[in-house]
Amino acid sequence: MSDLRIINIEKQYPQTQQKSEPAFSLQPVRLTIKQGEFFSLLGPSGCGKTTLLKLVAGLLPADNGEIWVGDDNLTAVAPEDRRFAMVFQQSLLFPHMTVEDNVAFGLKMQKISKKQRLADAHGMLEHVGLGGYGSRFPDELSGGQQQRVALARALVANPRVLLMDEPFSALDPSLREEMRELLSRIQKEFRVTVLFVTHDREEAFYLSDRIGVMSEGTLLQVGKAKKLYEQPVSAKVALFLGLKNIIKGTVADGRFSSSDQNFEFLVEDTIQTGPCLLILRPEALQPVTKAAALHPDSIQVSGVIQQMRFNHGFYSVKVKVGSNKLDCSIASQQAEEMVPGQKIDLLVKLKDIWLIVE
Amino acid sequence: MWQKTKPYLLLLPAIGTIVLLFFGGLFDGLLKSLGYFPAIGETRFEVTAYTDLFRSSEFWESLVLTGRVAALSSVIAAVLGAVIAVSLFMLNESAKSGGAQLWHRLFQLPLTIPHLVGGYIVVLLFMQSGFLSKILASAGLIDEIRDFPVLVNDPFGWGIILTYAWKEAPFVSLMIYPVLSRIHRSWRDVARIFGAGSWNFIREIVLPVMVPAWTIATFIVFVFTFSAFEVPFLLGVTYPSMLPVFSYQLYTSGTLADRPEALAVNIILAALTILLGLVVYYFSKRWNVLKGWD
């Protein structure tokens, strides 16, 4: 198997001129990406995900660690000899070359005959929906079309790993969705291993088999989208994934108590005693109805609605419970009867509760 | 009406001067080359000066020498200029310090030196009793300074070629460098990822990008050396002389009868320059070299 293995790769940048700001460093990263897997590195700007991508590509020298693909150690191999491909934030097509020459560039470098490489380029342009555009120049294409050409250029060379550095971030939302679908379809078709960098949660969740969440130069958690969202290992991961309902408390004698005593419930024995964070997903908090009120494996809290915002078919409702403000996602039908200032009872099932030991 | 004509009226003094001095001079030269010379009582138009020139071996030898010197100077300056520009570009891409800027300034130095001074530098360096021959003789690489090849005031024109190559290479690099600076920094990364080493990057990306500016710069150098006077006058031999010097020799020969021929040489030089310009324009269009750049 030609898995991509990143073994304790690390990078320390030199100190910047402003001594007050510490120099950025990428902490040792250990990661295995399976052949044909779509893996995303998700994190805020400046967290080191592009640095990690460039280290994998060989465009930046690593201070320590190794990069392997299958049985080949690529750590000391020049980027031009790694047989990787990359799609950047901008299309970065060569303006003096036609679209088909741009697509065939990698094949030309591999010394494939002109006839063969142009035939391959035509085929790949068909795949990305740009058949018949081969003789045009990049400046005659729209931004989305240019990015499709960049994708075709990357795929046609049959790379061992396809690296993608926020490739859709410069596109408008509808085009971004279209490109996501295209990429997802093509990745499945070609079974190419993809290492994708993004700060867009939705994009990572839509495309990825697995996701690695990064922050401040550290890979915090790796897992499938559902697992990351429902069971984040730290408050940082939870916050980055949009989980704002983080309640401080303590676990003692098999029981969790929030600091303001509003949340109290029994916990499993496996959870360590000590300070803890309670994570409540917005959609897990639901208003109490007659049917749900009697559910035994749930907890119930009371609060006051502070704010309501309509959001893609549901309402984002902010409810003040004790000293905490909770975000709840409530279906439009239920929310239509609510008004800010109204008292509300919320219910959350124990199976939807997630505790993080601090 | 005033608003529309005002810009043209403001431009009139500059345009008038250019038309009067450039086209006026050219027109006057054309008339005199055709034998129209009222000062000596010649008011007829004839092509005797041209036919005499085309029959004289001196003219053809001058033309060959001029073409050879201009072509070799331009080619050497073009190659040197391109090497300088590409080296500076690659240095700038890889260097983190301001070293590239220093080299850039250093290579621009010959631009500040007048051609005549450049010619003298070549005389002092490359003549048989010059600096270089003395160093080589002192180092024992040649027995005596007379063994040093004749590079100044030689019939082939090496002295002139050396001067122009040295003087115009920075000009060529100056023309190319701004074009190279338009090359996106990330293109190097893109090219490397897709398998291009440094040489392939230069061949596939850098050279095609700089070809239009390079062609134009080389053409300017060719046209300039083709019709330049002072360096060939200083570093050339009496026979054969380059066309501008040949024209000067005819003009100052002491007889007014030679002046139509002298001016005919200048008209031929101008005509050849225009013809070369058209050829370069035709090829640059045909190569489609500017296509794709916004």
Side-chain angles (χ1 to χ4, degrees):
Chain A
M1 287 291 278
S2 295
D3 295 349
L4 169 67
R5 284 180 293 142
I6 301 165
I7 304 167
N8 293 331
I9 204 99
E10 59 181 304
K11 177 80 184 170
Q12 170 77 52
Y13 281 99
Q15 179 72 44
T16 51
Q17 286 184 333
Q18 292 162 315
K19 299 276 183 202
S20 55
E21 289 177 19
F24 177 80
S25 68
L26 180 75
Q27 301 305 314
V29 173
R30 196 180 182 92
L31 188 64
T32 300
I33 299 167
K34 294 188 192 75
Q35 189 181 0
E37 186 180 19
F38 197 117
F39 189 94
S40 290
L41 286 170
L42 178 65
S45 298
C47 72
K49 48 194 193 304
T50 298
T51 299
L52 181 54
L53 197 76
K54 286 190 169 179
L55 287 168
V56 172
L59 296 172
L60 276 178
D63 294 341
N64 276 309
E66 291 179 353
I67 304 281
W68 288 73
V69 172
D71 296 328
D72 298 335
N73 183 352
L74 301 180
T75 317
V77 175
E80 51 266 37
D81 299 323
R82 292 191 181 198
R83 269 198 50 224
F84 287 0
M86 194 159 171
V87 180
F88 295 78
Q89 203 165 339
Q90 293 162 304
S91 61
L92 296 177
L93 300 174
F94 303 128
H96 59 286
M97 290 184 194
T98 60
V99 165
E100 64 186 12
D101 284 340
N102 264 290
V103 175
F105 181 77
L107 297 173
K108 190 175 184 184
M109 293 303 104
Q110 288 176 23
K111 299 193 168 37
I112 307 285
S113 71
K114 188 172 183 179
K115 195 178 168 189
Q116 182 63 47
R117 66 174 185 255
L118 288 182
D120 290 355
H122 280 140
M124 193 50 74
L125 282 169
E126 293 281 350
H127 264 97
V128 297
L130 290 176
Y133 284 71
S135 57
R136 296 195 189 186
F137 281 88
D139 65 345
E140 294 168 319
L141 305 181
S142 68
Q145 286 171 329
Q146 287 184 11
Q147 208 57 322
R148 279 168 189 248
V149 176
L151 184 61
R153 173 172 69 177
L155 286 167
V156 77
N158 191 23
R160 293 203 274 199
V161 179
L162 172 59
L163 307 167
M164 304 187 89
D165 187 7
E166 308 209 27
F168 310 139
S169 60
L171 305 178
D172 62 60
S174 62
L175 209 54
R176 212 179 300 171
E177 266 177 48
E178 200 182 297
M179 287 299 287
R180 258 182 229 164
E181 282 166 24
L182 175 77
L183 176 61
S184 181
R185 176 174 61 77
I186 285 185
Q187 193 268 336
K188 283 183 177 68
E189 198 179 328
F190 288 89
R191 296 297 301 154
V192 61
T193 311
V194 177
L195 178 54
F196 188 90
V197 158
T198 183
H199 63 263
D200 186 334
R201 295 190 298 257
E202 222 177 292
E203 200 164 80
F205 277 37
Y206 182 93
L207 289 165
S208 318
D209 295 318
R210 283 191 305 148
I211 297 168
V213 181
M214 286 188 76
S215 176
E216 292 168 5
T218 309
L219 185 61
L220 299 173
Q221 189 176 359
V222 175
K224 288 183 183 294
K226 190 169 186 294
K227 173 113 176 159
L228 288 177
Y229 184 67
E230 292 179 355
Q231 298 172 4
V233 294
S234 67
K236 265 186 190 173
V237 175
L239 276 170
F240 189 72
L241 296 177
L243 300 165
K244 292 176 195 157
N245 302 331
I246 301 175
I247 297 150
K248 283 189 171 182
T250 319
V251 171
D253 304 325
R255 208 174 167 74
F256 173 85
S257 306
S258 66
S259 308
D260 60 2
Q261 312 293 319
N262 272 302
F263 293 88
E264 284 200 29
F265 52 89
L266 291 170
V267 295
E268 287 174 18
D269 299 339
T270 49
I271 294 178
Q272 276 184 315
T273 302
C276 244
L277 295 173
L278 168 64
I279 311 287
L280 294 169
R281 300 196 309 276
E283 68 280 6
L285 286 159
Q286 289 302 315
V288 174
T289 57
K290 280 176 189 168
L294 299 170
H295 204 288
D297 295 331
S298 60
I299 54 169
Q300 196 174 315
V301 287
S302 298
V304 177
I305 297 173
Q306 289 208 313
Q307 197 182 61
M308 293 177 69
R309 283 183 196 279
F310 182 72
N311 188 2
H312 295 99
F314 63 89
Y315 275 84
S316 286
V317 181
K318 214 174 257 306
V319 179
K320 189 166 170 58
V321 178
S323 59
N324 296 295
K325 280 180 189 168
L326 303 180
D327 279 336
C328 315
S329 298
I330 295 174
S332 293
Q333 279 180 328
Q334 286 179 294
E336 272 163 14
E337 293 164 12
M338 299 173 185
V339 285
Q342 180 188 325
K343 277 187 74 175
I344 184 171
D345 290 331
L346 293 168
L347 179 126
V348 55
K349 289 175 185 166
L350 286 176
K351 73 175 178 65
D352 291 330
I353 277 171
W354 181 248
L355 287 171
I356 299 171
V357 178
E358 273 195 296
Chain B
M1 181 70 184
W2 167 241
Q3 285 298 322
K4 277 188 177 176
T5 52
K6 192 180 170 187
Y8 299 104
L9 286 171
L10 290 172
L11 278 172
L12 204 60
I15 291 172
T17 311
I18 291 168
V19 168
L20 189 72
L21 293 180
F22 184 76
F23 291 104
L26 206 63
F27 188 65
D28 185 47
L30 180 67
L31 289 179
K32 283 178 180 160
S33 75
L34 291 169
Y36 182 78
F37 210 157
I40 56 168
E42 292 291 342
T43 51
R44 284 177 307 158
F45 287 99
E46 52 193 18
V47 289
T48 322
Y50 290 92
T51 49
D52 287 351
L53 267 183
F54 291 144
R55 278 197 203 114
S56 87
S57 60
E58 206 175 352
F59 167 76
W60 290 109
E61 282 185 55
S62 278
L63 183 64
V64 169
L65 175 70
T66 309
R68 186 174 64 212
V69 167
L72 281 171
S73 312
S74 317
V75 168
I76 296 171
V79 172
L80 280 177
V83 170
I84 293 169
V86 172
S87 307
L88 285 172
F89 169 73
M90 297 300 271
L91 191 69
N92 209 23
E93 286 284 290
S94 55
K96 288 179 176 64
S97 63
Q101 197 64 21
L102 185 74
W103 281 106
H104 200 175
R105 295 276 169 264
L106 193 69
F107 280 122
Q108 283 177 354
L109 201 63
L111 285 172
T112 60
I113 294 168
H115 278 90
L116 207 60
V117 178
Y120 268 116
I121 291 172
V122 169
V123 169
L124 295 173
L125 283 175
F126 292 102
M127 66 190 296
Q128 277 193 311
S129 57
F131 194 62
L132 200 64
S133 67
K134 282 176 186 163
I135 288 177
L136 292 178
S138 306
L141 293 169
I142 52 174
D143 292 333
E144 48 186 309
I145 58 171
R146 275 192 306 176
D147 295 337
F148 191 77
V150 181
L151 294 176
V152 175
N153 300 118
D154 61 311
F156 191 86
W158 279 118
I160 307 166
I161 293 166
L162 279 172
T163 308
Y164 282 130
W166 175 79
K167 185 78 179 72
E168 306 308 335
F171 167 76
V172 173
S173 78
L174 192 76
M175 290 279 284
I176 298 171
Y177 193 75
V179 180
L180 292 183
S181 64
R182 282 179 66 189
I183 290 180
H184 205 292
R185 278 189 90 91
S186 303
W187 285 359
R188 180 86 186 94
D189 287 347
V190 175
R192 291 190 81 188
I193 287 286
F194 289 106
S198 292
W199 166 240
N200 274 328
F201 176 66
I202 290 171
R203 196 182 63 186
E204 297 292 332
I205 315 296
V206 178
L207 285 180
V209 163
M210 73 181 210
V211 158
W214 197 17
T215 314
I216 291 163
T218 310
F219 172 68
I220 292 171
V221 171
F222 184 86
V223 168
F224 178 78
T225 46
F226 196 69
S227 49
F229 171 76
E230 70 269 48
V231 175
F233 187 69
L234 184 71
L235 301 180
V237 288
T238 324
Y239 182 87
S241 55
M242 281 178 65
L243 279 179
V245 179
F246 179 52
S247 167
Y248 175 78
Q249 285 167 344
L250 284 172
Y251 199 86
T252 54
S253 64
T255 162
L256 287 175
D258 281 345
R259 289 206 173 174
E261 271 187 50
L263 291 161
V265 171
N266 287 335
I267 296 297
I268 291 166
L269 274 173
L272 285 172
T273 306
I274 292 167
L275 193 70
L276 283 167
L278 290 173
V279 169
V280 170
Y281 178 74
Y282 171 76
F283 277 110
S284 66
K285 277 278 178 196
R286 204 173 155 193
W287 290 338
N288 225 358
V289 283
L290 289 167
K291 192 72 190 141
W293 287 91
D294 41 80

